[in-house]
Amino acid sequence: MTRRLESYFAEPGKRRILALDGGGVRGFLTIKILGVLEQELRRRSGDEKYTLSQYFDLIGGTSTGSIIATALALGWSVDEVWATYELLVPRIFARSSGVGFLSPRFKNQPLAKALRSEFGERALDSADLNTGLAIFAKRMDRGSAWIMLNNSRWVYYDTKLPGDKFAPNRSFKLRSIVQASAAAPHYFSGVKMKIEHADEKGKKALDAHFVDGGVGGFNNPALELLTIARDPAYGFGWQVGADNLYMLSVGTGWIRSITRAKSILEGLFIKQTVNALRGMINDVSLQQVAYMQALSRCDMRWYINSEKQSQGEGAGGYLAAAAPLLHYQRVDARLEDEKNRAGELLPECPSALLGRALTPAEVRGLDEITNSAPANLDLLKDLGAAAGERFIKQAPPPVSFDPNPWTRTGDAAPAPR
């Protein structure tokens, strides 16, 4: 067990949070955005090997975002995450094992093998974690959304309650909770995690059944990460305010589900059900962006819809009682061209980012979160790089949040690799 970050989490000062959405292979888009961010921070820090784990005090993710978040929290560079994704994604989604009627479309073994290879036997309390880590999943057998943290002040980090016989969450393997977070229904089987329980007859193992955190409403985990920063249950207690708390929320590509509109009402019932679930996850994710922008100071606002539009360019925090609760920036790319209420093309659209509209076939390919075809992955990379250039260059992390020193020292210093 390690508590090497405990005192660091408790220190006063400005805090920085990175929130990473779920989205299957569209994590390639996220990684490209993060690559532009890492280069910006390396320029500002003067350290050509600077990593995001030294800038952000808490990195949280769901599904594909949980894989990226864990790798970054372990001190990986974005290039290392990129190389791993290029190798593993085609293997994981290389061949469908079914059509999702009586069994999932893909087998769990390739992903499990990959996560074991990359994260080994490290647990949530691993001394190799260089910063705060939050992973989101849904426990189906109890009907509860789970958040798993490496903060030793979190109430479920250790077993503390009298008579509580369950193993502390700090002992859960990173590879297991990440796979649980990424177990998207229809695509993968749920993940069983053994939770040790001792009774009068000795020890026995209980199964906890988990699926993708998006099912619990956390596909975009930004709002919950804000809650984590303040709720006493999680042990951080960080100070809010636009000059005290900064959050960067990175998506995996936004699509309004136009390409799915007919299939929700027509075709096989299983297809209708899956598309309805995906539509719900999409709606909740956009709702999170709207809430966060309404609570925050934003440099560049994401266009919500023709009703809310961008929630008032230049305004911020109108849901906060006195002042914005944090400085927040959403970074994403739209996967199809869309116009605002005035008929103007939104600047995050393919035509604006790439200089051309995508074909209907390309949009359908991007909409499929398991599409590992090389042409689809290349398109995601191009969109992510262009979105990163737009947002990170025009709305970079505020200079006022630059760490001092840039690299942590003492117990919170980077772990040897």
Side-chain angles (χ1 to χ4, degrees), residues 266-279:
E266 301 173 359
L268 296 171
F269 182 74
I270 184 65
K271 192 172 184 180
Q272 297 177 34
T273 302
V274 171
N275 283 324
L277 175 62
R278 289 187 61 195

Side-chain angles (χ1 to χ4, degrees), residues 133-369:
L133 175 65
I135 298 174
F136 300 83
K138 171 75 173 181
R139 184 174 175 184
M140 294 301 292
D141 58 307
R142 293 293 180 91
S144 55
W146 274 40
I147 304 161
M148 286 162 274
L149 293 167
N150 66 329
N151 187 357
S152 59
R153 288 188 170 89
W154 170 40
V155 294
Y156 283 126
Y157 183 84
D158 271 323
T159 302
K160 295 183 177 180
L161 300 177
D164 189 354
K165 305 296 179 62
F166 290 94
N169 288 13
R170 63 175 175 77
S171 66
F172 294 169
K173 303 296 185 185
L174 290 177
R175 56 180 169 79
S176 296
I177 56 180
V178 168
Q179 185 169 2
S181 179
H186 175 69
Y187 298 104
F188 294 102
S189 295
V191 172
K192 294 182 180 180
M193 288 173 51
K194 299 292 184 183
I195 298 179
E196 295 297 324
H197 181 273
D199 57 18
E200 65 277 4
K201 297 180 180 179
K203 284 191 174 182
K204 62 180 180 180
L206 297 183
D207 287 337
H209 299 257
F210 290 93
V211 297
D212 193 301
V215 179
F218 296 146
N219 196 66
N220 174 351
L223 185 59
E224 196 62 26
L225 284 165
L226 173 60
T227 303
I228 288 170
R230 287 296 299 164
D231 192 318
Y234 300 108
F236 290 102
W238 292 340
Q239 187 176 357
V240 295
D243 296 323
N244 299 315
L245 190 62
Y246 170 70
M247 181 186 293
L248 182 68
S249 172
V250 184
T252 57
W254 169 253
I255 191 166
R256 196 170 287 281
S257 303
I258 292 174
T259 58
R260 282 186 247 123
K262 290 184 178 179
S263 62
I264 290 176
L265 301 175
E266 301 173 359
L268 296 171
F269 182 74
I270 184 65
K271 192 172 184 180
Q272 297 177 34
T273 302
V274 171
N275 283 324
L277 175 62
R278 289 187 61 195
M280 179 274 293
I281 291 173
N282 225 27
D283 291 342
V284 172
S285 294
L286 185 61
Q287 185 182 59
Q288 304 294 312
V289 178
Y291 285 156
M292 291 299 297
Q293 290 188 159
L295 292 168
S296 309
R297 176 192 297 164
C298 303
D299 294 324
M300 294 177 65
R301 293 181 167 273
W302 186 259
Y303 185 86
I304 304 299
N305 54 34
S306 60
E307 181 179 37
K308 292 184 174 69
Q309 299 191 76
S310 298
Q311 299 176 289
E313 286 292 342
Y318 61 74
L319 281 184
L325 295 182
L326 72 161
H327 197 130
Y328 165 84
Q329 183 62 56
R330 176 68 172 178
V331 180
D332 204 354
R334 298 182 191 273
L335 303 183
E336 55 192 345
D337 281 350
E338 188 176 346
K339 296 180 179 180
N340 63 20
R341 197 164 64 186
E344 301 165 328
L345 191 69
L346 295 172
E348 309 87 16
C349 292
S351 286
L353 293 175
L354 303 180
R356 70 175 181 89
L358 302 184
T359 67
E362 287 176 320
V363 175
R364 287 193 297 271
L366 292 170
D367 191 33
E368 177 51 67
I369 62 173

Side-chain angles (χ1 to χ4, degrees), residues 48 63 121 248 251 324 331 396 403 406:
E48 63 181 16
S63 196
E121 297 301 308
L248 182 68
V331 180
W406 276 91

Side-chain angles (χ1 to χ4, degrees), residues 92-107:
I92 294 167
F93 298 110
R95 184 175 59 185
S96 177
S97 62
V99 292
F101 294 131
L102 302 176
S103 61
R105 285 185 56 191
F106 299 94
K107 294 184 181 298

